[in-house]
């Protein structure tokens, strides 16, 4: 496990990247977007927008990621998914990054990664879904349509992956879980 100093440096790098991406208009970890992006509709058969995340998909459960569905990615060359929490108490935290998803894909199964897609590092330095734990968090499942494949390696650095997504986003949609059941 890394030293406390390395962990602090890694968190600071993610925070700076998050703020840069939010300011750039991509909104990966920020609020709205000043760019005119097309809208993607995102839903889940397990929870509604604004409802709590079922605890099966949190660190208390063992189900992995919740199933998701989306539409509105026509014209994309690839799709990316970012799950994050921009908590004012703990700061931004990325729980999952999946990229180079085939643009014909319109859903993601429970505890699943689409064939051919890659996963990047999360804020905790691991690859894969890092289930949220904070009951008071606001967890955002954001789907991005991109104008190219990122062609980054499996386990790519978080900052590099988020920068790639931010610079190639042509459409975005979000499903938010407010708290955990």
């Amino acid at each position: 496990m890394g030293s406390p100093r390395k962990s602090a440096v890694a968190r600071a790098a993610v925070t700076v990247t998050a703020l840069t991406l939010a300011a750039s208009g991509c909104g990966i970890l920020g609020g709205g977007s000043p760019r005119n992006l097309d809208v993607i509709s995102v839903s889940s058969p397990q929870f509604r927008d604004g409802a709590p995340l079922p605890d099966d998909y949190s660190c208390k459960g063992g189900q992995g990621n919740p199933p998701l569905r989306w539409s509105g990615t026509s014209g994309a060359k690839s799709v990316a998914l970012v799950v994050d929490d921009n908590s004012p108490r703990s700061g931004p935290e990325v729980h999952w990054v999946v990229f180079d998803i085939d643009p014909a894909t319109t859903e993601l199964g429970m505890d699943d990664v689409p064939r051919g897609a890659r996963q990047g590092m999360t804020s905790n330095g691991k690859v894969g879904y890092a289930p949220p734990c904070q009951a008071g968090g606001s967890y955002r499942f954001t789907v991005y349509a991109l104008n190219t494949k990122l062609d980054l390696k499996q386990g790519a650095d978080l900052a590099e992956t988020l920068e790639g997504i931010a610079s190639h986003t042509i459409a975005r949609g979000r499903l938010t879980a407010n708290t955990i059941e």
Side-chain angles (χ1 to χ4, degrees), residues 33-176:
S33 172
R35 292 192 307 185
N36 291 329
L37 298 176
D38 289 336
V39 177
I40 297 171
S41 173
V42 183
S43 65
S44 174
Q46 298 300 315
F47 66 99
R48 292 182 329 275
D49 190 50
L53 179 69
D55 65 0
D56 287 347
Y57 307 109
S58 76
C59 64
K60 297 175 189 169
Q63 298 298 319
N65 66 275
L68 298 171
R69 297 179 180 139
W70 57 85
S71 62
T73 59
S74 63
K77 302 291 184 205
S78 72
V79 174
L81 167 70
V82 176
V83 179
D84 74 328
D85 176 24
N86 196 12
S87 170
R89 288 173 295 175
S90 61
E93 186 173 3
V94 176
H95 296 277
W96 199 25
V97 180
V98 184
F99 57 94
D100 287 349
I101 300 171
D102 185 308
T105 301
T106 59
E107 64 183 85
L108 179 70
M110 180 175 66
D111 199 25
D112 187 32
V113 176
R115 177 175 281 164
R118 295 185 175 123
Q119 299 178 89
M121 282 191 179
T122 61
S123 294
N124 67 11
K126 297 187 180 185
V127 176
Y129 184 68
C133 286
Q134 292 185 29
S138 181
Y139 302 101
R140 302 179 300 188
F141 295 77
T142 309
V143 176
Y144 298 90
L146 308 179
N147 62 8
T148 190
K149 285 183 75 173
L150 295 184
D151 288 326
L152 297 171
K153 294 179 181 178
Q154 173 79 5
D157 177 74
L158 178 59
E160 182 181 16
T161 306
L162 295 180
E163 287 170 9
I165 293 170
S167 62
H168 294 288
T169 296
I170 57 175
R172 180 187 78 181
R174 181 176 287 159
L175 175 66
T176 302

